[in-house]
Amino acid sequence: MTLSAINSQGGYDGDMSDSQPARGRPSHIDPAAIADAAIALFQTHGYDAISMDRVAEEAGISRRSLFRYFPAKGDLVWHGSAPVEARLHGILAALPVGTLTYSVLTDAVVDSLHALDHREGVTRARLRLIAGHADLLAQGPTKLATFWTELEAFLTTRLGDAHRARVLALAIRTVVFDALLRWAAGEEHDFSATVSAALATLGALGTLSEC
Amino acid sequence: MTLSAINSQGGYDGDMSDSQPARGRPSHIDPAAIADAAIALFQTHGYDAISMDRVAEEAGISRRSLFRYFPAKGDLVWHGSAPVEARLHGILAALPVGTLTYSVLTDAVVDSLHALDHREGVTRARLRLIAGHADLLAQGPTKLATFWTELEAFLTTRLGDAHRARVLALAIRTVVFDALLRWAAGEEHDFSATVSAALATLGALGTLSEC
DNA sequence: CTATTAATGGCACTCAGTGTCATAATATGT
DNA sequence: ACATATTATGACACTGAGTGCCATTAATAG
């Protein structure tokens, strides 16, 4: 919920729930703008060729402050996934009790990803960077941890079987992420269709005997 | 094939196929021994607390040579997965044509992992290190790339459908790896049973409507 | 004995990431 | 208005991973 906390840049303003009037020195730093600028640098010069010093210089802040907002270089690329996680939360909570079919579930997952589709250009750029870099690619499960753990928690309560929920969540995670990367690479054009097709294939894995 | 190339340490002697008489300076360095020693250090002092300098010192070689054998620190932990990949290769090649059921396939995967079970103590130690460290954990798909790509290639030729093969390979990869980690963590005792059960659960995902 | 080939070590370098501390800028209380 | 608590920022130094370069060493082939 709290979809209003999602700003137009696709960033996330943090915990806006009980916002006390601001104390202390206010920040003049805009993380979303810095991330976007960094992405642009990465695209033109290559991820490895751009150092954190360079990003800080470009953003007009000190190197130390940059690391305060982005504890790891990869966070610059992963920044902006919070809206997707927030949306999934809302969608799962809205699912009626007792009517969980596989297709309903996968539709919910696909629906939550529409937050990505919104800023299609930037998202594609980020995903392409991720796909092109083994280090970044490997961070998918970690950096989107909220998304995946929320999905698994939901499935655990709905299925009653923690083991089965875990397998299902893991499989969905891997297949969805792979579909996103293929979409970003340009192999597929329709965002939702790509993810939906991948999940449909996953659901039919048990019927392998036909070969 | 070439299972004889697997030495008693669980290491892999590289390409022994057309071994010319050795030229140049011979190496006095034993990568498997170094990896094992490093694992021991990691276990007692923690992965982060042990620098590559320390490992090199312990092994009695220069830091530079250490990096020549293990280009990344994580490779010390992942070392020894080659036998598993070799075994999978042999098992897949031996599968009779035209009789590929899901259970036959998963049995083959489980069977290939017996190379891990052999040195149970060391394998558990390594997997525990991996499980306890997000960086290492994320490298699973990359470091075992040969294993997974071989599986996917096999499925592609057998199924005829590249897309379906990819989804299947991805799902198996994730679920198997997760099962291995749970086994290493001590949550499960029977190695094969753990992996088999996870794969069986995966095969039955499509039937979700019963809840 | 010489040339060739390959392994190793020493050194310096880049860059990611962290700890510490001084300083600046804001709001609150008097 | 003024002192104080609170927070953001920057400056600096440090650790450790990983790389490039080159001299050196140890083997074999002729």
Side-chain angles (χ1 to χ4, degrees), chain A residues 45-72:
Chain A
H45 301 93
Y47 182 74
D48 288 328
I50 298 296
S51 67
M52 290 297 269
D53 292 84
R54 184 80 176 76
V55 174
E57 186 190 15
E58 191 80 9
I61 62 176
S62 79
R63 168 194 163 78
R64 195 63 187 80
S65 292
L66 175 60
F67 271 103
R68 201 128 33 204
Y69 283 88
F70 300 93

mmCIF file of all heavy atoms in Angstrom, chain A residues 45-72:
data_model
loop_
_atom_site.group_PDB
_atom_site.id
_atom_site.type_symbol
_atom_site.label_atom_id
_atom_site.label_comp_id
_atom_site.label_asym_id
_atom_site.label_seq_id
_atom_site.Cartn_x
_atom_site.Cartn_y
_atom_site.Cartn_z
ATOM 1 N N HIS A 45 29.800 4.923 -21.177
ATOM 2 C CA HIS A 45 31.219 4.578 -21.002
ATOM 3 C C HIS A 45 31.443 3.156 -20.519
ATOM 4 O O HIS A 45 32.581 2.693 -20.503
ATOM 5 C CB HIS A 45 31.887 5.552 -20.030
ATOM 6 C CG HIS A 45 31.834 6.976 -20.466
ATOM 7 N ND1 HIS A 45 30.817 7.838 -20.072
ATOM 8 C CD2 HIS A 45 32.638 7.702 -21.262
ATOM 9 C CE1 HIS A 45 31.025 9.019 -20.612
ATOM 10 N NE2 HIS A 45 32.105 8.969 -21.340
ATOM 11 N N GLY A 46 30.372 2.492 -20.089
ATOM 12 C CA GLY A 46 30.541 1.148 -19.549
ATOM 13 C C GLY A 46 30.576 1.164 -18.033
ATOM 14 O O GLY A 46 31.113 2.088 -17.423
ATOM 15 N N TYR A 47 29.985 0.146 -17.464
ATOM 16 C CA TYR A 47 29.855 0.082 -16.005
ATOM 17 C C TYR A 47 31.212 0.088 -15.312
ATOM 18 O O TYR A 47 31.420 0.796 -14.327
ATOM 19 C CB TYR A 47 29.063 -1.168 -15.628
ATOM 20 C CG TYR A 47 28.804 -1.343 -14.158
ATOM 21 C CD1 TYR A 47 27.880 -0.565 -13.491
ATOM 22 C CD2 TYR A 47 29.500 -2.315 -13.435
ATOM 23 C CE1 TYR A 47 27.640 -0.741 -12.144
ATOM 24 C CE2 TYR A 47 29.260 -2.495 -12.085
ATOM 25 C CZ TYR A 47 28.338 -1.706 -11.443
ATOM 26 O OH TYR A 47 28.100 -1.877 -10.107
ATOM 27 N N ASP A 48 32.133 -0.689 -15.820
ATOM 28 C CA ASP A 48 33.445 -0.815 -15.174
ATOM 29 C C ASP A 48 34.299 0.438 -15.337
ATOM 30 O O ASP A 48 35.134 0.737 -14.485
ATOM 31 C CB ASP A 48 34.194 -2.024 -15.735
ATOM 32 C CG ASP A 48 33.597 -3.326 -15.247
ATOM 33 O OD1 ASP A 48 33.089 -3.348 -14.121
ATOM 34 O OD2 ASP A 48 33.641 -4.316 -15.999
ATOM 35 N N ALA A 49 34.070 1.143 -16.429
ATOM 36 C CA ALA A 49 34.923 2.293 -16.729
ATOM 37 C C ALA A 49 34.572 3.505 -15.871
ATOM 38 O O ALA A 49 35.339 4.462 -15.798
ATOM 39 C CB ALA A 49 34.824 2.649 -18.208
ATOM 40 N N ILE A 50 33.396 3.459 -15.249
ATOM 41 C CA ILE A 50 32.977 4.590 -14.413
ATOM 42 C C ILE A 50 33.201 4.263 -12.940
ATOM 43 O O ILE A 50 32.585 3.350 -12.398
ATOM 44 C CB ILE A 50 31.486 4.914 -14.654
ATOM 45 C CG1 ILE A 50 31.264 5.319 -16.112
ATOM 46 C CG2 ILE A 50 31.028 6.018 -13.721
ATOM 47 C CD1 ILE A 50 31.977 6.597 -16.510
ATOM 48 N N SER A 51 34.068 5.019 -12.299
ATOM 49 C CA SER A 51 34.342 4.792 -10.887
ATOM 50 C C SER A 51 33.341 5.566 -10.034
ATOM 51 O O SER A 51 32.656 6.478 -10.514
ATOM 52 C CB SER A 51 35.755 5.235 -10.536
ATOM 53 O OG SER A 51 35.863 6.635 -10.660
ATOM 54 N N MET A 52 33.271 5.219 -8.794
ATOM 55 C CA MET A 52 32.386 5.927 -7.872
ATOM 56 C C MET A 52 32.845 7.373 -7.701
ATOM 57 O O MET A 52 32.023 8.266 -7.463
ATOM 58 C CB MET A 52 32.351 5.201 -6.525
ATOM 59 C CG MET A 52 31.626 3.869 -6.578
ATOM 60 S SD MET A 52 29.875 4.009 -7.007
ATOM 61 C CE MET A 52 29.124 4.152 -5.387
ATOM 62 N N ASP A 53 34.131 7.611 -7.799
ATOM 63 C CA ASP A 53 34.649 8.980 -7.762
ATOM 64 C C ASP A 53 34.024 9.797 -8.893
ATOM 65 O O ASP A 53 33.594 10.930 -8.706
ATOM 66 C CB ASP A 53 36.181 8.968 -7.919
ATOM 67 C CG ASP A 53 36.865 8.358 -6.724
ATOM 68 O OD1 ASP A 53 36.977 7.118 -6.690
ATOM 69 O OD2 ASP A 53 37.259 9.097 -5.830
ATOM 70 N N ARG A 54 33.972 9.173 -10.053
ATOM 71 C CA ARG A 54 33.429 9.845 -11.222
ATOM 72 C C ARG A 54 31.947 10.162 -11.026
ATOM 73 O O ARG A 54 31.488 11.252 -11.363
ATOM 74 C CB ARG A 54 33.630 8.935 -12.445
ATOM 75 C CG ARG A 54 33.203 9.525 -13.758
ATOM 76 C CD ARG A 54 34.255 10.465 -14.319
ATOM 77 N NE ARG A 54 33.848 10.937 -15.636
ATOM 78 C CZ ARG A 54 32.926 11.864 -15.833
ATOM 79 N NH1 ARG A 54 32.308 12.402 -14.793
ATOM 80 N NH2 ARG A 54 32.626 12.252 -17.057
ATOM 81 N N VAL A 55 31.202 9.216 -10.502
ATOM 82 C CA VAL A 55 29.774 9.424 -10.259
ATOM 83 C C VAL A 55 29.568 10.554 -9.261
ATOM 84 O O VAL A 55 28.718 11.428 -9.457
ATOM 85 C CB VAL A 55 29.114 8.133 -9.729
ATOM 86 C CG1 VAL A 55 27.664 8.390 -9.348
ATOM 87 C CG2 VAL A 55 29.194 7.031 -10.778
ATOM 88 N N ALA A 56 30.367 10.551 -8.205
ATOM 89 C CA ALA A 56 30.247 11.594 -7.183
ATOM 90 C C ALA A 56 30.551 12.958 -7.790
ATOM 91 O O ALA A 56 29.832 13.937 -7.546
ATOM 92 C CB ALA A 56 31.199 11.301 -6.030
ATOM 93 N N GLU A 57 31.590 13.005 -8.594
ATOM 94 C CA GLU A 57 31.979 14.252 -9.236
ATOM 95 C C GLU A 57 30.832 14.755 -10.114
ATOM 96 O O GLU A 57 30.444 15.918 -10.048
ATOM 97 C CB GLU A 57 33.228 14.005 -10.079
ATOM 98 C CG GLU A 57 33.840 15.249 -10.699
ATOM 99 C CD GLU A 57 34.918 14.873 -11.710
ATOM 100 O OE1 GLU A 57 34.977 13.699 -12.126
ATOM 101 O OE2 GLU A 57 35.688 15.763 -12.086
ATOM 102 N N GLU A 58 30.271 13.845 -10.915
ATOM 103 C CA GLU A 58 29.171 14.192 -11.804
ATOM 104 C C GLU A 58 27.968 14.707 -11.027
ATOM 105 O O GLU A 58 27.288 15.637 -11.461
ATOM 106 C CB GLU A 58 28.765 12.954 -12.623
ATOM 107 C CG GLU A 58 27.808 13.238 -13.756
ATOM 108 C CD GLU A 58 28.534 13.789 -14.969
ATOM 109 O OE1 GLU A 58 29.786 13.779 -14.960
ATOM 110 O OE2 GLU A 58 27.861 14.234 -15.919
ATOM 111 N N ALA A 59 27.742 14.101 -9.858
ATOM 112 C CA ALA A 59 26.574 14.491 -9.061
ATOM 113 C C ALA A 59 26.843 15.736 -8.229
ATOM 114 O O ALA A 59 25.919 16.300 -7.632
ATOM 115 C CB ALA A 59 26.174 13.332 -8.156
ATOM 116 N N GLY A 60 28.093 16.151 -8.163
ATOM 117 C CA GLY A 60 28.418 17.343 -7.395
ATOM 118 C C GLY A 60 28.391 17.138 -5.895
ATOM 119 O O GLY A 60 28.186 18.077 -5.126
ATOM 120 N N ILE A 61 28.570 15.899 -5.475
ATOM 121 C CA ILE A 61 28.641 15.628 -4.036
ATOM 122 C C ILE A 61 29.949 14.904 -3.749
ATOM 123 O O ILE A 61 30.656 14.482 -4.671
ATOM 124 C CB ILE A 61 27.460 14.760 -3.562
ATOM 125 C CG1 ILE A 61 27.497 13.397 -4.250
ATOM 126 C CG2 ILE A 61 26.156 15.469 -3.834
ATOM 127 C CD1 ILE A 61 26.433 12.459 -3.768
ATOM 128 N N SER A 62 30.244 14.765 -2.479
ATOM 129 C CA SER A 62 31.493 14.095 -2.121
ATOM 130 C C SER A 62 31.344 12.585 -2.281
ATOM 131 O O SER A 62 30.238 12.034 -2.185
ATOM 132 C CB SER A 62 31.882 14.408 -0.691
ATOM 133 O OG SER A 62 31.127 13.620 0.200
ATOM 134 N N ARG A 63 32.462 11.972 -2.490
ATOM 135 C CA ARG A 63 32.483 10.525 -2.617
ATOM 136 C C ARG A 63 31.859 9.862 -1.396
ATOM 137 O O ARG A 63 31.098 8.897 -1.502
ATOM 138 C CB ARG A 63 33.942 10.104 -2.765
ATOM 139 C CG ARG A 63 34.215 8.648 -2.636
ATOM 140 C CD ARG A 63 35.725 8.427 -2.468
ATOM 141 N NE ARG A 63 36.019 7.112 -1.957
ATOM 142 C CZ ARG A 63 36.013 6.022 -2.671
ATOM 143 N NH1 ARG A 63 35.738 6.093 -3.954
ATOM 144 N NH2 ARG A 63 36.268 4.863 -2.135
ATOM 145 N N ARG A 64 32.164 10.422 -0.213
ATOM 146 C CA ARG A 64 31.651 9.827 1.022
ATOM 147 C C ARG A 64 30.130 9.898 1.088
ATOM 148 O O ARG A 64 29.463 8.968 1.531
ATOM 149 C CB ARG A 64 32.266 10.542 2.229
ATOM 150 C CG ARG A 64 32.074 9.771 3.519
ATOM 151 C CD ARG A 64 32.789 8.452 3.410
ATOM 152 N NE ARG A 64 32.529 7.553 4.534
ATOM 153 C CZ ARG A 64 31.438 6.811 4.647
ATOM 154 N NH1 ARG A 64 30.507 6.879 3.727
ATOM 155 N NH2 ARG A 64 31.285 5.999 5.668
ATOM 156 N N SER A 65 29.568 11.005 0.660
ATOM 157 C CA SER A 65 28.117 11.152 0.672
ATOM 158 C C SER A 65 27.463 10.200 -0.319
ATOM 159 O O SER A 65 26.396 9.647 -0.055
ATOM 160 C CB SER A 65 27.731 12.593 0.337
ATOM 161 O OG SER A 65 28.116 13.460 1.380
ATOM 162 N N LEU A 66 28.111 10.015 -1.454
ATOM 163 C CA LEU A 66 27.579 9.081 -2.439
ATOM 164 C C LEU A 66 27.439 7.690 -1.839
ATOM 165 O O LEU A 66 26.399 7.034 -1.981
ATOM 166 C CB LEU A 66 28.496 9.034 -3.662
ATOM 167 C CG LEU A 66 28.121 8.007 -4.734
ATOM 168 C CD1 LEU A 66 26.736 8.272 -5.300
ATOM 169 C CD2 LEU A 66 29.152 8.004 -5.859
ATOM 170 N N PHE A 67 28.469 7.281 -1.110
ATOM 171 C CA PHE A 67 28.420 5.949 -0.501
ATOM 172 C C PHE A 67 27.392 5.882 0.625
ATOM 173 O O PHE A 67 26.945 4.806 0.996
ATOM 174 C CB PHE A 67 29.800 5.549 0.026
ATOM 175 C CG PHE A 67 30.644 4.848 -1.000
ATOM 176 C CD1 PHE A 67 31.671 5.508 -1.644
ATOM 177 C CD2 PHE A 67 30.383 3.527 -1.330
ATOM 178 C CE1 PHE A 67 32.441 4.872 -2.597
ATOM 179 C CE2 PHE A 67 31.150 2.876 -2.278
ATOM 180 C CZ PHE A 67 32.177 3.556 -2.916
ATOM 181 N N ARG A 68 27.043 7.041 1.180
ATOM 182 C CA ARG A 68 26.037 7.036 2.222
ATOM 183 C C ARG A 68 24.668 6.721 1.619
ATOM 184 O O ARG A 68 23.846 6.037 2.220
ATOM 185 C CB ARG A 68 26.005 8.400 2.911
ATOM 186 C CG ARG A 68 25.405 8.373 4.271
ATOM 187 C CD ARG A 68 26.306 9.011 5.332
ATOM 188 N NE ARG A 68 27.107 10.123 4.844
ATOM 189 C CZ ARG A 68 28.254 10.508 5.426
ATOM 190 N NH1 ARG A 68 28.712 9.865 6.463
ATOM 191 N NH2 ARG A 68 28.916 11.529 4.943
ATOM 192 N N TYR A 69 24.414 7.194 0.427
ATOM 193 C CA TYR A 69 23.120 6.958 -0.225
ATOM 194 C C TYR A 69 23.115 5.649 -1.007
ATOM 195 O O TYR A 69 22.084 5.007 -1.142
ATOM 196 C CB TYR A 69 22.771 8.128 -1.144
ATOM 197 C CG TYR A 69 22.272 9.330 -0.396
ATOM 198 C CD1 TYR A 69 23.150 10.285 0.096
ATOM 199 C CD2 TYR A 69 20.922 9.475 -0.132
ATOM 200 C CE1 TYR A 69 22.692 11.380 0.810
ATOM 201 C CE2 TYR A 69 20.441 10.563 0.577
ATOM 202 C CZ TYR A 69 21.334 11.513 1.052
ATOM 203 O OH TYR A 69 20.871 12.578 1.763
ATOM 204 N N PHE A 70 24.260 5.282 -1.540
ATOM 205 C CA PHE A 70 24.368 4.038 -2.305
ATOM 206 C C PHE A 70 25.544 3.236 -1.767
ATOM 207 O O PHE A 70 26.664 3.368 -2.260
ATOM 208 C CB PHE A 70 24.548 4.340 -3.789
ATOM 209 C CG PHE A 70 23.420 5.117 -4.393
ATOM 210 C CD1 PHE A 70 23.458 6.498 -4.467
ATOM 211 C CD2 PHE A 70 22.291 4.455 -4.860
ATOM 212 C CE1 PHE A 70 22.407 7.216 -5.002
ATOM 213 C CE2 PHE A 70 21.228 5.168 -5.406
ATOM 214 C CZ PHE A 70 21.286 6.547 -5.479
ATOM 215 N N PRO A 71 25.270 2.387 -0.757
ATOM 216 C CA PRO A 71 26.330 1.669 -0.065
ATOM 217 C C PRO A 71 27.175 0.804 -0.997
ATOM 218 O O PRO A 71 28.324 0.500 -0.698
ATOM 219 C CB PRO A 71 25.569 0.796 0.928
ATOM 220 C CG PRO A 71 24.293 1.509 1.149
ATOM 221 C CD PRO A 71 23.953 2.137 -0.177
ATOM 222 N N ALA A 72 26.599 0.396 -2.129
ATOM 223 C CA ALA A 72 27.383 -0.371 -3.095
ATOM 224 C C ALA A 72 27.142 0.211 -4.482
ATOM 225 O O ALA A 72 26.084 0.770 -4.766
ATOM 226 C CB ALA A 72 26.993 -1.844 -3.061
#
